Amino acid sequence: MNLPASLQRLASNRSSVRSHAGVLFAIVIVAWGVNWPVSKALLLHVSPWWSAALRSVIGMTTLFVICALTRRLVLPRRGDLPVILSVGLLHMTVFSLLVALSLQYVSAGRSAVLAYTTPLWVMPAARVWLGEALTPRRVLGLACGLLGLAVMFNPLAFDWHDRQAVFGNALVLAAAFAWAVAIVHARAHRWVNGPFELSPWQLLLASGVMCALALVVEGAPHITGWRGFSGLLAYGGVIGGGIAYWLAGVVTRRLPAGVTSLGLLGVPVVGTLASALILRESLGWDVWLALVLIVGGIALGTVPGTATSCRTDTTA
């Protein structure tokens, strides 16, 4: 099995990667953004438990193949086991499952915005556990992001009597917290192998845990509409999963950390727009205003310092 010739040349030609890094990064942002309505649409064909598990299995397989073909497949070292566990369980398992479950009750656009509040929680957590300074710019960014959350949960616009809506939004915020803990731990970790080389193993762990949970909770998967399901799963696992993650790893080695931090803020923007266009979601003014405030706050708080960007952050 071989990668397409164009992708093989891309992986081996460094000058080509540099000259096309911006285009590749745009592809990653769009791929991850579109992944939000795709994940929502998958729930029409399969349960959220199996949706998250199967996308993880396909993404894991894709990454193992890419790592093997690009000669970056390595066995994990003992020193990297803690970060394999933290990222594999907190980010790739807990985050993925909570988001998938939340999409039963929350629009894909709203979920994308709430999920990308993660950097807001990383800032104070990094101050407490890593001793990173909370500069005035970061404090302003945090305040701006929290204001965005206040807008999104404005009692005049949010139905607090809808228990399913409250539960769904809480699940997304819990997912963002879990991702934040994984990011803070990844920053403190002393890497033996690189984050990309470890990602297939982290997904292997996540896939095993999620498949086991899905079997216990629901038994064998019940899939309806195989044709639509196959296309959505292929996109979510191969394009929005393995290939996008690989390209993100390629790009983040060629672009400054500040550029990638700022660029990744385009993911919830694309996710919100794609959800409105693909799923015909009706998003109120509160979601759009919150999107501006949250993305602006993250930009203020994370872009100036190179230390704030972690390779583990680059995930859909």
Side-chain angles (χ1 to χ4, degrees):
M1 181 177 180
N2 293 309
L3 287 171
S6 58
L7 292 184
Q8 290 189 42
R9 290 194 298 270
L10 180 62
S12 60
N13 190 335
R14 294 188 176 184
S15 61
S16 175
V17 170
R18 291 192 187 96
S19 62
H20 295 91
V23 174
L24 294 177
F25 198 25
I27 292 173
V28 171
I29 293 168
V30 171
W32 277 340
V34 173
N35 216 22
W36 286 93
V38 166
S39 298
K40 177 82 170 181
L42 264 172
L43 299 185
L44 297 174
H45 304 275
V46 71
S47 74
W49 294 91
W50 279 111
S51 172
L54 293 175
R55 282 187 290 116
S56 179
V57 169
I58 299 298
M60 172 201 70
T61 304
T62 303
L63 276 179
F64 268 116
V65 171
I66 290 174
C67 284
L69 294 176
T70 56
R71 298 181 181 179
R72 295 180 64 186
L73 182 60
V74 298
L75 289 174
R77 305 288 290 277
R78 180 178 298 179
D80 282 329
L81 290 181
V83 80
I84 290 176
L85 290 173
S86 65
V87 175
L89 294 176
L90 289 174
H91 181 198
M92 296 182 175
T93 302
V94 175
F95 176 87
S96 299
L97 272 178
L98 291 181
V99 166
L101 291 169
S102 75
L103 286 172
Q104 298 175 103
Y105 316 110
V106 184
S107 68
R110 188 181 183 93
S111 294
V113 176
L114 289 176
Y116 272 81
T117 59
T118 295
L120 297 178
W121 317 125
V122 170
M123 285 185 246
R127 174 68 184 90
V128 173
W129 287 309
L130 303 182
E132 292 185 7
L134 268 179
T135 63
R137 188 181 181 97
R138 289 182 179 177
V139 172
L140 179 60
L142 182 59
C144 187
L146 293 177
L147 178 59
L149 281 178
V151 168
M152 185 167 283
F153 291 103
N154 176 6
L156 299 177
F158 186 80
D159 184 5
W160 291 95
H161 299 291
D162 186 342
R163 293 185 178 181
Q164 288 189 341
V166 173
F167 181 61
N169 283 271
L171 286 176
V172 186
L173 287 176
F177 283 126
W179 187 5
V181 174
I183 290 173
V184 172
H185 179 257
R187 287 187 188 173
H189 178 70
R190 292 187 177 182
W191 299 80
V192 179
N193 291 309
F196 177 77
E197 284 78 10
L198 294 181
S199 58
W201 302 101
Q202 292 161 342
L203 273 173
L204 176 61
L205 172 62
S207 299
V209 172
M210 285 193 283
C211 286
L213 286 174
L215 282 171
V216 170
V217 173
E218 297 193 334
H222 299 285
I223 299 168
T224 59
W226 273 93
R227 187 173 181 179
F229 167 77
S230 300
L232 292 168
L233 184 63
Y235 181 92
V238 178
I239 299 175
I243 290 178
Y245 201 101
W246 168 55
L247 290 179
V250 171
V251 168
T252 51
R253 293 195 304 275
R254 307 300 176 200
L255 294 177
V259 173
T260 57
S261 296
L262 182 61
L264 287 172
L265 297 182
V267 175
V269 177
V270 173
T272 304
L273 292 172
S275 299
L277 292 173
I278 297 173
L279 302 179
R280 298 290 188 263
E281 290 184 352
S282 178
L283 302 175
W285 64 268
D286 55 322
V287 174
W288 294 108
L289 180 57
L291 177 65
V292 172
L293 289 170
I294 290 171
V295 168
I298 296 172
L300 280 172
T302 63
V303 171
T306 57
T308 61
S309 178
C310 175
R311 295 296 177 256
T312 309
D313 301 13
T314 56
T315 306

